[in-house]
Amino acid sequence: MDLRIFTEPQQGASYDTLLKAAKATEDLGFDAFFRSDHYLRMGNADGLPGPTDAWITLAGLARETRRIRLGTLMTAGTFRLPGVLAIQVAQVDQMSGGRVELGLGAGWFEEEHKAYGIPFPKEKFARLEEQLAIITGLWATATGEEFSYDGTYYQLENSPALPKPAQGKVPVLVGGHGATRTPRLAAQYADEFNIPFASLEDSERQFGRVRAAAEAVGRKGDELVYSNALVACVGKDDAEVARRAAAIGRNVDELKANGLAGSPAEVVDKIGRYAAIGVSRIYLQMLDLDDLDHLELISAQVQSQLG
């Protein structure tokens, strides 16, 4: 089981805070450091000192880390043109020596679009499909050849399809709860399917849909990595769990029901139940980025037991 650290900087984090968390992620043996792609805080958080851009952040971390994978859950398709995003991701991949992964979603948070003057189109999912086709098509085009695309929303003419990522193929993540179109997109374009904040039952059902969709297009269902994103709140005793839950404004019982919360033993047990339905990777949503002791505890007493 790969454990990855997943952060939500729009809730309030500077680049320096993210850098400290990323370096701790690397030093403590976690597999990767991912971040959300949002420009506006959610809920009661103050959001100070203000938003940071996902791909600018990852470019900085690419130069200041050595081993961990770096990526997004999920880059908002509404924020960037697909040709530009292909260039940005390829460049950050080069800067990292080939450690980048691209999670790409349709975009959903209308308020942040209004707050920063970003268009919020109605046809987000259809645009996402074209974006995936363009980005993967640009990267797959042989050097010296050109790429063109004539879609409903995007048209590219005689693109040199440069630069290329350092990796032979940047892993692409698709995710979500949609019952039909989401599994189809994952089957066509994704290396990994991620379902965020879902129960065991809902996860197993959605993974089954993705496997079936993959087989329908001639892929083996197990070609994809299946992953979850779940909030983490781990403590060495009940008091520490309660303190960490209070720090993020959540209830312990709710966290235990819907996330990975409790003692290390409780969390290891629940991770085992996700593994039993085919999950091989979990993104631990860490909402208090100043609590690096939390990362250390998970590394020492959870990750160490997963093999």
Side-chain angles (χ1 to χ4, degrees):
M1 178 68 71
D2 292 335
L3 293 186
R4 295 182 160 190
I5 301 306
F6 169 44
T7 63
E8 302 271 12
Q10 77 278 355
Q11 299 301 90
S14 67
Y15 174 75
D16 286 341
T17 298
L18 291 168
L19 176 60
K20 290 176 184 176
K23 287 188 171 181
T25 295
E26 185 160 81
D27 292 343
L28 292 169
F30 293 102
D31 181 63
F33 182 88
F34 272 56
R35 60 157 291 164
S36 60
D37 188 21
H38 286 294
Y39 292 138
L40 191 67
R41 58 123 177 101
M42 302 170 194
N44 296 323
D46 60 23
L48 296 175
T52 51
D53 182 82
W55 285 100
I56 291 177
T57 297
L58 294 175
L61 297 180
R63 305 304 291 176
E64 299 197 71
T65 57
R66 305 173 308 280
R67 176 189 59 79
I68 49 173
R69 308 289 295 177
L70 301 166
T72 51
L73 280 183
M74 300 282 187
T75 291
T78 48
F79 288 177
R80 299 168 182 86
L81 296 170
V84 174
L85 182 58
I87 292 170
Q88 291 172 322
V89 177
Q91 183 178 4
V92 178
D93 193 54
Q94 291 175 357
M95 293 167 70
S96 72
R99 294 184 284 123
V100 158
E101 304 185 10
L102 171 64
L104 184 60
W108 62 271
F109 189 20
E110 186 173 5
E111 286 80 1
E112 69 186 335
H113 294 74
K114 292 178 179 178
Y116 286 97
I118 303 168
F120 190 68
K122 292 181 179 179
E123 323 84 353
K124 292 182 290 297
F125 200 92
R127 289 173 181 269
L128 173 62
E129 187 164 8
E130 291 194 8
Q131 291 162 350
L132 286 164
I134 290 166
I135 292 167
T136 57
L138 286 166
W139 290 338
T141 299
T143 301
E145 296 182 4
E146 294 181 336
F147 176 84
S148 296
Y149 184 86
D150 186 17
T152 302
Y153 306 103
Y154 304 102
Q155 296 80 40
L156 285 73
E157 295 183 11
N158 305 320
S159 171
L162 296 171
K164 300 300 185 194
Q167 300 175 78
K169 185 181 188 308
V170 171
V172 172
L173 291 75
V174 170
H177 296 260
T180 304
R181 293 187 299 174
T182 297
R184 178 177 57 79
L185 275 192
Q188 188 168 359
Y189 295 107
D191 301 284
E192 177 177 339
F193 182 79
N194 177 269
I195 186 165
F197 316 118
S199 67
L200 284 158
E201 295 76 17
D202 289 345
S203 298
E204 186 171 26
R205 188 180 303 114
Q206 186 71 331
F207 295 152
R209 294 181 183 125
V210 174
R211 288 190 177 92
E215 290 166 3
V217 298
R219 298 179 69 183
K220 294 181 179 178
D222 288 340
E223 281 184 31
L224 285 82
V225 172
Y226 295 90
S227 64
N228 283 81
L230 295 164
V231 61
C233 183
V234 188
K236 62 180 181 294
D237 52 36
D238 290 346
E240 190 167 80
V241 174
R243 176 178 62 78
R244 289 198 163 113
I248 60 174
R250 301 282 285 271
N251 175 272
V252 172
D253 290 339
E254 177 268 320
L255 287 169
K256 287 188 176 185
N258 299 314
L260 296 174
S263 69
E266 289 177 286
V267 171
V268 168
D269 177 73
K270 192 164 186 180
I271 289 173
R273 284 182 270 157
Y274 277 95
I277 63 168
V279 175
S280 61
R281 181 172 292 158
I282 290 179
Y283 294 81
L284 301 172
Q285 185 194 42
M286 309 300 294
L287 294 175
D288 184 355
L289 294 179
D290 294 316
D291 186 3
L292 299 184
D293 289 343
H294 195 188
L295 290 179
E296 187 170 353
L297 175 68
I298 294 170
S299 172
Q301 298 192 34
V302 175
Q303 182 172 241
S304 61
Q305 297 186 55
L306 298 177

